């Protein structure tokens, strides 16, 4: 009843989630000199850290990638998955 899947996602596929994470964070923070929602990614990286943006992007992309992996392997989940991000290579596309 247990299956272990290893899924590798190219960084380019995280780009839409990364853009969405920057947009969401820009709506949440106040930075002097910028209107809410108009804070550039470079300033967000300095304010909250690139790691926080990457975490949000991964959390956004994870459910979709999980479902894709289940479908590719013809698996039907019986319980909540245990998910572990083992490696993250930041290509710094911003």
């Amino acid at each position: 009843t247990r299956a272990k899947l290893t899924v590798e996602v190219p960084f380019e596929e995280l780009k839409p989630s990364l853009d969405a994470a920057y947009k969401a964070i820009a709506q949440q923070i106040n930075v002097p000199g910028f209107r809410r929602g108009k804070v550039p990614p470079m300033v967000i990286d300095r304010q909250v850290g690139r790691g926080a943006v990457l975490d949000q992007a991964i959390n956004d992309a994870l459910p979709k990638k999980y479902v894709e992996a289940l479908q590719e392997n013809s698996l039907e989940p019986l319980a909540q998955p245990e998910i572990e991000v083992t490696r993250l290579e930041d290509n710094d596309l911003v």
Side-chain angles (χ1 to χ4, degrees), residues 5 10 14-15 25 31 40 46-47 59-60 63-64 72:
L5 298 174
L14 285 180
K15 183 78 169 106
I25 292 172
V31 178
R46 282 198 312 259
Q47 291 289 321
N59 288 335
D60 178 54
K64 181 180 174 193
E72 286 174 12

Side-chain angles (χ1 to χ4, degrees), residues 25 29-32 39-50:
I25 292 172
I29 63 173
N30 287 322
V31 178
V39 182
M42 189 172 65
V43 175
I44 292 173
D45 285 345
R46 282 198 312 259
Q47 291 289 321
V48 298
R50 176 82 170 171

